[in-house]
Amino acid sequence: MGGEGVDPSCVADERRSLTEYLEWHRRTFELKCAGLGQAQLSELSVPPSGMSLHGLLRHLTSVERWWFQQQFAGEDLPILYYSDDDPNQDFEKLDGDVEEAFALWRAECERSREIVRAAESLEQKGTRLGTGEPFTLRWLMLRMIAEYARHLGHADLLRERIDGEVGE
């Protein structure tokens, strides 16, 4: 239950390698959730953690938008699953249809892909909204790979707890 299908190329330039690894992680996350219904995807892990696969899905959806669209591309969009009054709603509010949540995640991922394809180079810069600090597309791609990798470990444990399935 890992990133079945196309593995990242063993011989590729930097941009292709970063893109393929991020895609592998996105595909693996989706596979970790495959075959589960709304109740299973929303099942909380072991207390005191409030983590669930549905919560991870919402979190990764907001992370895609926040980093690629809002900070890198400078698009003026609302933040998903977050407010100052309720900063953890991505993990804590599991209302709404999970299939709609997956559709939104896929759309955010596709918009991220478009932004990466349109970038002239890995040196192109975005700006962190909180600090004004610049960052490169290279840094962003590495950060997103790390974000997904960390959460894939969580997804492995959550999936194993739900139905005994384990990842690679």
Side-chain angles (χ1 to χ4, degrees), residues 49-126:
S49 174
M51 194 172 289
S52 68
L53 289 169
H54 189 178
L56 283 174
L57 170 64
R58 290 166 54 107
H59 175 73
L60 292 170
T61 302
S62 66
V63 167
E64 289 276 353
R65 176 178 285 193
W66 174 249
W67 282 105
F68 283 103
Q69 294 175 59
Q70 293 173 284
Q71 295 197 100
F72 184 75
E75 297 174 6
D76 185 19
L77 298 167
I79 298 172
L80 293 172
Y81 310 121
Y82 174 89
S83 71
D84 289 339
D85 295 334
D86 192 1
N88 295 318
Q89 62 183 268
D90 49 355
F91 287 107
E92 294 174 357
K93 291 197 176 173
L94 302 178
D95 55 340
D97 180 56
V98 75
E99 290 306 317
E100 289 176 14
F102 268 110
L104 182 56
W105 173 71
R106 289 180 191 110
E108 296 299 320
C109 289
E110 184 52 38
R111 181 65 187 120
S112 297
R113 289 181 194 103
E114 292 169 0
I115 290 168
V116 170
R117 283 191 298 267
E120 292 180 18
S121 78
L122 293 173
E123 293 301 313
Q124 189 168 327
K125 291 183 176 63

Side-chain angles (χ1 to χ4, degrees), residues 116-166:
V116 170
R117 283 191 298 267
E120 292 180 18
S121 78
L122 293 173
E123 293 301 313
Q124 189 168 327
K125 291 183 176 63
T127 304
R128 294 184 82 155
L129 295 177
T131 65
E133 177 185 10
F135 62 89
T136 64
L137 178 58
R138 174 185 294 103
W139 178 89
L140 173 54
M141 298 286 288
L142 288 166
R143 187 186 193 295
M144 290 299 292
I145 289 166
E147 181 85 16
Y148 272 91
R150 180 175 49 147
H151 292 312
L152 286 176
H154 298 135
D156 271 338
L157 294 171
L158 289 163
R159 182 64 191 246
E160 186 174 11
R161 183 175 183 279
I162 291 168
D163 66 0
E165 289 288 326
V166 295

